[in-house]
């Protein structure tokens, strides 16, 4: 019998919201103009820039595309093109040692324990898959990518859409009820539960000073740390 697969969010779940908000987003925003000037003709960069241009009414200058992207960063917009370009920029930052990714101190021991016990681990985040892999390969605890069987982003579907979770379960070769989804966002947990997954609400005090208990948890099991989670069989 296959063991439960564990699917986890990143921001607010494995890592503090402040790392993304206060380190990664400002880094990408500041680096965007030079990055586009230097790499705008690279096909994989041009592909995403052209998508932004078309969706924004036919922008014809890269400077205008950059301004649009910077505005999306300020709005925390979950757009696939923005996430892909941010991932490319963060790749350079990780590679050059400008930062590493901090994880909550309870995360790595739990991930290793679950992996060693035979649980399939996967990530589902609004950040692009390349950005996810960059983060987990450059953590304060080293490269954790080998622990994971799958990485999923919004190309598979919106995080508040139950169909996305059904597709992920299929990709993991599991029935939805054999997947445990961990997130700090109640609406995402609602969608996962609608798809048939089991759910756990991560309610980190650093990110959510007011505990989300009772009705605020909407019936999802609530924990504050990974070591409070029973992964089951």
């Amino acid at each position: 019998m296959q063991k439960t697969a564990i699917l986890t969010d990143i921001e607010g779940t494995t890592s503090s919201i402040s790392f993304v908000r206060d380190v990664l987003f400002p880094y990408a925003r500041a680096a965007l103009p030079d990055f586009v000037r230097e790499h705008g003709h690279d096909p994989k960069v041009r592909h995403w820039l052209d998508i932004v241009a078309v969706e924004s009414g036919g922008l014809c200058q890269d400077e205008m595309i950059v301004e649009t992207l910077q505005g999306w960063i300020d709005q925390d917009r979950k757009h696939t093109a923005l996430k892909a370009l941010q991932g490319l920029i963060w790749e350079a930052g990780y590679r050059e040692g400008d930062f590493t990714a901090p994880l909550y101190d309870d995360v790595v021991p739990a991930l290793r324990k679950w992996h060693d016990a035979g649980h399939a681990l996967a990530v589902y985040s609004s950040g692009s898959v390349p950005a996810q892999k960059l983060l987990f390969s450059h953590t304060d605890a080293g490269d954790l990518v080998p622990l994971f069987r799958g990485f999923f982003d919004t190309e598979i579907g919106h995080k508040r859409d139950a169909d996305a979770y059904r597709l992920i379960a299929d990709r993991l070769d599991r029935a939805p009820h054999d997947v445990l989804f961990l997130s700090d966002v109640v609406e995402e947990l609602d969608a996962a539960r609608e798809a048939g997954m089991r759910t756990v609400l991560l309610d980190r005090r650093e990110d959510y000073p007011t505990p989300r208990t009772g009705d605020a948890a909407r019936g999802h099991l609530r924990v504050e740390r990974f070591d409070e989670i029973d992964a089951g069989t």
Side-chain angles (χ1 to χ4, degrees):
M1 185 178 72
Q2 290 182 316
K3 291 201 171 188
T4 299
I6 301 172
L7 179 67
T8 183
D9 179 37
I10 296 177
E11 184 180 351
T13 303
T14 63
S15 307
S16 172
I17 292 173
S18 64
F19 172 63
V20 176
R21 182 189 62 215
D22 299 336
V23 177
L24 292 184
F25 282 2
Y27 184 92
R29 193 187 197 287
L32 258 171
D34 287 344
F35 178 82
V36 171
R37 275 194 296 270
E38 294 173 11
H39 303 285
H41 295 294
D42 183 326
K44 67 180 179 180
V45 175
R46 190 77 253 163
H47 168 73
W48 296 114
L49 294 176
D50 288 345
I51 287 176
V52 176
V54 171
E55 290 191 12
S56 301
L59 299 177
C60 57
Q61 296 181 340
D62 282 353
E63 290 81 2
M64 298 172 67
I65 297 173
V66 167
E67 289 180 4
T68 298
L69 287 165
Q70 289 176 323
W72 288 358
I73 291 175
D74 295 341
Q75 299 163 18
D76 191 19
R77 185 170 175 184
K78 311 296 187 184
H79 193 287
T80 300
L82 172 62
K83 296 300 182 182
L85 291 166
Q86 284 176 319
L88 293 171
I89 291 170
W90 292 331
E91 181 178 5
Y94 283 117
R95 184 174 61 246
E96 294 169 12
D98 292 342
F99 45 79
T100 56
L103 302 179
Y104 283 113
D105 61 6
D106 54 279
V107 168
V108 176
L111 291 177
R112 294 192 188 282
K113 175 183 175 182
W114 294 334
H115 176 267
D116 291 347
H119 295 280
L121 305 181
V123 176
Y124 183 28
S125 173
S126 58
S128 68
V129 166
Q132 296 172 27
K133 290 182 177 179
L134 280 170
L135 186 150
F136 281 107
S137 64
H138 294 85
T139 76
D140 291 347
D143 182 3
L144 302 179
V145 168
L147 297 179
F148 294 96
R149 182 172 300 181
F151 292 86
F152 304 94
D153 58 22
T154 52
E155 288 197 9
I156 203 164
H158 195 283
K159 293 191 73 181
R160 301 186 185 191
D161 183 349
D163 284 342
Y165 296 89
R166 296 186 183 101
L167 283 171
I168 289 173
D170 185 64
R171 297 280 180 88
L172 294 174
D173 193 27
R174 295 291 195 281
H177 62 78
D178 288 327
V179 180
L180 178 65
F181 179 51
L182 318 178
S183 178
D184 65 310
V185 180
V186 173
E187 291 80 5
E188 296 175 3
L189 295 168
D190 289 345
R193 181 170 58 193
E194 180 183 343
M197 289 185 181
R198 293 151 50 201
T199 57
V200 174
L201 171 64
L202 268 297
D203 204 26
R204 304 274 187 187
R205 295 278 58 76
E206 179 177 329
D207 294 319
Y208 298 92
T210 302
R212 293 173 293 170
T213 58
D215 291 344
R218 293 189 197 167
H220 300 289
L221 177 65
R222 174 190 172 277
V223 302
E224 296 186 5
R225 297 172 53 87
F226 270 28
D227 50 21
E228 298 174 31
I229 298 170
D230 179 3
T233 58

